[in-house]
């Protein structure tokens, strides 16, 4: 069974078949069979366009023509200068640096630049150029890159060669420092499909990205996508990303204590079983539980939903009654805990013209309504 390299969904029928397609680096010395039919799939779920065949045997190596064109060189120099100025990154690594064409430019812009490459010959070429290169390939999420963590990375036209692209991206993520930035470039499939340019399909490229599928993959790998542009005569999609960090949860504990204290202070002012709570929604149920309330402290809980009435609140076991019961068996005070419905309920209680105190509680704030 063939599975999508992004979402894992089953790939069934190819959307296009290109016969007798040669590898980009499959040059031969004699007339031996060196090509096969190329089946292109589009995932019915995430819509990533991809090949499901085995990768070419040199898929771990980056092979670029040794002399980058003048136009490309100028573009890279400008791009790298802007990147380092914008994000103020220090130590950087190029994932898949090949013979160091871009790493040379990168090192000129930022001296603390390194490269990662699997091809031994390419590594030697880099070393001859005095570039700092490590041998390696990212085939496990926990693959370690020497000298990690890095403040930034670039990966130019390499992601589309990976049989396990998410694994590679997660491995990069794990070798970065907090708030690291990166540039990832891939061939632009949006242009291929617009021009029906079937010549872009090649066994070397296992993945064909649109802006949407690239953003989806980068997001799933843990990156925040800052922007994706189409560059170099629309041939390349260029993504700028930031390593996403977890939200901070330290404030939650302080908020638990603050909420408990406010309910405790309110109960000091109102005798036991003379406070009722309006609302048996999730916020109210949790607050009652966190504050350690029970049917000895709270008279009852009012809720308009008939299916909750005549039952007990979960965890705190306080009887739930109807608004009608409330009007006939008044407490000395009522506390409304109903999230976004608070003001509507407070208005409704005020219309009853009752001689009781009304409080509300929302987003950690206890309010005296009357
Ligand atoms: Zn998919």
């Amino acid at each position: 069974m063939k599975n999508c390299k992004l979402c894992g969904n089953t790939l069934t029928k190819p959307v296009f078949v290109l016969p007798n397609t040669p590898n980009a680096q499959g040059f031969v010395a004699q007339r031996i069979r060196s090509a096969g039919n190329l089946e292109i799939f589009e995932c019915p779920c995430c819509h990533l366009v991809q090949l499901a065949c085995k990768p070419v045997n040199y898929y771990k190596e980056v092979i670029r023509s040794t002399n980058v064109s003048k136009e490309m060189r100028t573009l890279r120099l400008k791009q790298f200068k802007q990147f380092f100025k914008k994000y103020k990154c220090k130590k950087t690594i190029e994932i898949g640096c090949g013979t160091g064409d871009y790493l040379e430019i990168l090192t000129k812009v930022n001296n603390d630049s390194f490269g990662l490459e699997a091809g031994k010959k390419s590594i030697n070429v880099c070393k001859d150029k005095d570039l700092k290169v490590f041998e390696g390939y990212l085939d496990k999420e926990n693959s370690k890159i020497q000298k990690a963590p890095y403040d930034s990375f670039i990966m130019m036209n390499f992601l589309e060669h990976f049989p396990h692209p998410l694994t590679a991206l997660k491995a990069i993520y794990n070798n970065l420092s907090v708030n690291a930035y990166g540039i990832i470039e891939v061939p632009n499939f949006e242009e291929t499909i617009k021009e029906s340019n079937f010549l872009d399909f090649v066994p070397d490229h296992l993945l064909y990205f649109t802006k949407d599928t690239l953003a989806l993959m980068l997001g799933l790998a843990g990156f925040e996508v800052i922007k994706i542009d189409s560059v170099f005569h629309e041939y390349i999609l260029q993504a700028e990303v930031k390593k996403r960090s977890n939200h901070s949860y330290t404030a939650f504990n302080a908020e638990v204590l603050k909420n408990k204290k406010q309910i405790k202070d309110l109960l000091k002012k109102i005798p036991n079983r003379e406070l009722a709570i309006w609302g048996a929604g999730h916020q109210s149920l949790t607050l009652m539980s966190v504050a350690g309330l029970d049917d000895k402290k709270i008279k009852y809980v009012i809720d308009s939903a008939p299916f909750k009435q005549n039952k007990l609140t979960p965890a705190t076991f306080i009887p739930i009654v109807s608004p009608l019961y409330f009007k006939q068996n008044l407490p000395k005070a009522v506390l409304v805990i109903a999230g976004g419905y608070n003001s509507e309920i407070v208005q409704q209680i005020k219309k009853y013209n009752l001689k009781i105190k009304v409080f509300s509680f929302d987003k950690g704030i206890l309010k005296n309504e009357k």
Side-chain angles (χ1 to χ4, degrees):
M1 202 164 64
K2 298 172 171 82
N3 293 99
C4 172
K5 291 177 174 59
L6 173 52
C7 75
N9 205 66
T10 310
L11 304 173
T12 48
K13 268 178 81 177
V15 286
F16 180 63
V17 179
L18 196 58
N20 202 32
T21 315
N23 293 353
Q25 308 296 336
F27 303 102
V28 287
Q30 46 185 303
R31 295 169 67 94
I32 54 164
R33 183 169 165 76
S34 58
N37 289 350
L38 198 65
E39 293 185 329
I40 290 105
F41 294 86
E42 179 170 335
C43 172
C45 187
C46 73
H47 293 277
L48 176 64
V49 175
Q50 56 201 291
L51 308 185
C53 58
K54 273 190 183 168
V56 293
N57 56 17
Y58 50 85
Y59 72 95
K60 292 183 178 179
E61 300 174 35
V62 166
I63 301 166
R64 290 190 193 112
S65 46
T66 44
N67 281 316
V68 180
S69 77
K70 202 178 166 216
E71 185 189 353
M72 185 59 104
R73 186 174 280 270
T74 310
L75 186 135
R76 292 303 181 205
L77 191 63
K78 192 177 160 204
Q79 177 191 16
F80 297 158
K81 275 183 180 170
Q82 280 175 349
F83 178 75
F84 286 102
K85 196 177 165 197
K86 189 171 169 188
Y87 298 118
K88 299 182 175 44
C89 310
K90 289 175 190 134
K91 195 162 61 167
T92 194
I93 182 144
E94 182 183 8
I95 307 298
C97 64
T99 51
D101 298 337
Y102 297 155
L103 186 57
E104 253 187 304
I105 306 170
L106 199 63
T107 307
K108 267 184 199 154
V109 177
N110 174 42
N111 192 41
D112 210 6
S113 296
F114 299 80
L116 184 75
E117 174 55 47
K120 285 196 169 64
K121 276 187 189 165
S122 296
I123 292 170
N124 287 335
V125 175
C126 286
K127 286 187 175 162
D128 288 345
K129 292 179 184 171
D130 279 337
L131 298 171
K132 291 167 274 189
V133 183
F134 307 122
E135 184 181 347
Y137 182 76
L138 305 174
D139 51 5
K140 292 185 196 77
E141 282 182 28
N142 61 1
S143 297
K144 288 265 181 298
I145 306 175
Q146 286 181 58
K147 300 250 185 203
Y150 290 87
D151 301 321
S152 61
F153 73 98
I154 64 165
M155 179 154 71
M156 310 309 224
N157 293 291
F158 189 26
L159 184 62
E160 68 276 11
H161 295 251
F162 277 84
H164 302 288
L166 260 180
T167 305
L169 288 170
K170 286 178 186 172
I172 296 174
Y173 180 99
N174 290 332
N175 281 282
L176 296 176
S177 50
V178 178
N179 294 332
Y181 291 88
I183 299 173
I184 294 168
E185 289 188 357
V186 292
N188 182 4
F189 184 68
E190 290 182 9
E191 196 63 10
T192 306
I193 200 95
K194 192 172 117 199
E195 304 290 343
S196 299
N197 189 4
F198 66 91
L199 299 176
D200 280 343
F201 291 120
V202 57
D204 305 51
H205 293 177
L206 301 174
L207 308 160
Y208 298 82
F209 291 101
T210 60
K211 282 181 183 172
D212 283 350
T213 51
L214 180 60
L216 192 59
M217 183 173 282
L218 295 172
L220 275 179
F223 292 103
E224 177 191 329
V225 176
I226 298 165
K227 62 171 183 171
I228 300 180
D229 293 326
S230 163
V231 297
F232 201 63
H233 311 283
E234 318 301 320
Y235 268 108
I236 295 174
L237 286 180
Q238 184 183 86
E240 277 184 21
V241 297
K242 184 185 177 189
K243 180 177 179 169
R244 206 189 285 136
S245 305
N246 275 0
H247 299 289
S248 168
Y249 296 91
T250 48
F252 278 109
N253 286 329
E255 204 59 23
V256 167
L257 296 176
K258 193 181 118 192
N259 286 9
K260 271 168 88 167
K261 186 175 182 308
Q262 288 183 88
I263 299 297
K264 202 176 157 192
D265 290 348
L266 178 67
L267 282 171
K268 279 182 195 161
K269 295 178 203 157
I270 301 158
N272 271 345
R273 292 189 46 80
E274 284 304 342
L275 176 69
I277 287 173
W278 192 306
H282 72 277
Q283 289 198 0
S284 168
L285 297 177
T286 303
L287 184 60
M288 285 189 266
S289 176
V290 162
L293 304 184
D294 57 24
D295 60 351
K296 292 186 187 74
K297 292 173 184 156
I298 301 300
K299 194 174 173 78
Y300 48 69
V301 172
I302 309 134
D303 200 285
S304 304
F307 73 93
K308 294 182 184 174
Q309 293 161 8
N310 301 317
K311 300 240 169 67
L312 301 176
T313 56
T316 46
F317 311 117
I318 304 167
I320 304 169
V321 302
S322 67
L324 183 66
Y325 182 93
F326 159 69
K327 283 200 276 182
Q328 291 166 348
N329 300 272
L330 284 177
K332 287 208 160 50
V334 63
L335 171 62
V336 180
I337 314 170
Y341 299 101
N342 268 14
S343 56
E344 193 183 333
I345 295 169
V346 167
Q347 290 310 313
Q348 187 185 332
I349 297 170
K350 282 183 179 173
K351 273 187 199 157
Y352 294 158
N353 256 329
L354 309 170
K355 287 194 176 91
I356 64 168
K357 287 181 180 161
V358 182
F359 300 92
S360 71
F361 191 94
D362 188 32
K363 295 179 184 166
I365 296 165
L366 182 77
K367 268 203 315 196
N368 190 344
E369 300 279 0
K370 193 177 124 183

